[in-house]
Amino acid sequence: MTLPPPTLPLPPPGATPLRVLTIAGSDSGGGAGIQADLRTMALLGVHGCVAVTAVTMQNTLGVKGFHEVPEDIVVGQIEAVVTDIGVQAAKTGMLASSAIIAAVADSWRRLELSVPLVVDPVCASMHGDPLLAASALDSLRAQLFPLATLVTPNLDEVRLLVDVDVVDTESQRAAAEALHKLGPRWVLVKGGHLRSSGNSCDLLYDGVDFHEFDAPRLPTGNDHGGGDTLAAAVACALAHGYGMPDAVAFAKAWVTECLRAAYPLGGGHGPVSPLFRLGS
């Protein structure tokens, strides 16, 4: 699919913008997690709300540790936002434990939320540091995936979730089919970690049709927060009323420009940057 210009309309001054909720962990280095989500939401003209699931100790070199937020506090944040402010879409990131995953799923059903839910199944950081207890993978598959409008795993997460090693187009399609059987409405198997191609191809699947989204692979090591940024952009586009293929096409174009504008930081991987929009 041809990628569209990576912009969404900004609300008029004084108007109430669309609202999107991110249920995710905090990144002390500011590159990923809720910090990345809120940057993209703000620069797409969306009011971002948060339910913090964990506080991480991390920088550009990796995650040093994290502290889980008690599940009742996570649920309380979700309830406080949706019962007063209201949201047009939501996304999840780092959920940290089976208890938090179950609490988020239970609150989603109890509050009878029908807005799009983008599940970014964060299992490990880009450095390989674990961000989800192994015992929580079953909870993710059984409890949250059936509620998801879209799940957006990278190739390492695909391997953990459905034991498929994606090495080419055929195995990418097999992974999408296996993930779709777990219950989400749509699956996006991201190809950014498949280094055998000069392009980065993401594959979207709804149980019937496949949609491919190609973009040039940019020569940068500053890609921290790319997955969070993509999922946040999809959620923003869905809040604007985009259909799923168009929302993913928009988000793919957005994260490509964020990679192009990425900057060095610290001694490791710098963050992708949506700040490019400030110059347009």
Side-chain angles (χ1 to χ4, degrees), residues 107-194:
S107 65
W108 196 264
R109 287 189 292 264
R110 180 169 44 79
L111 293 167
E112 298 182 340
L113 296 174
S114 58
V115 300
L117 175 63
V118 178
V119 174
D120 185 9
V122 176
C123 305
S125 76
M126 65 181 300
H127 303 278
D129 306 302
L131 295 176
L132 184 66
S135 61
L137 288 172
D138 285 339
S139 297
L140 196 61
R141 297 184 195 98
Q143 299 190 57
L144 201 56
F145 275 25
L147 299 175
T149 311
L150 174 71
V151 295
T152 64
N154 63 34
L155 301 189
D156 296 322
E157 291 158 350
V158 166
R159 192 178 302 110
L160 288 170
L161 290 163
V162 292
D163 196 27
V164 174
D165 191 14
V166 176
V167 295
D168 53 20
T169 300
E170 183 178 352
S171 53
Q172 192 175 25
R173 290 193 169 208
E177 291 169 343
L179 286 159
H180 190 265
K181 289 177 182 177
L182 297 176
R185 196 176 312 165
W186 295 83
V187 173
L188 182 68
V189 179
K190 298 180 292 188
H193 292 184
L194 189 59

Side-chain angles (χ1 to χ4, degrees), residues 89 94 143 202 220:
M94 177 187 180
Q143 299 190 57
D202 296 348
T220 178

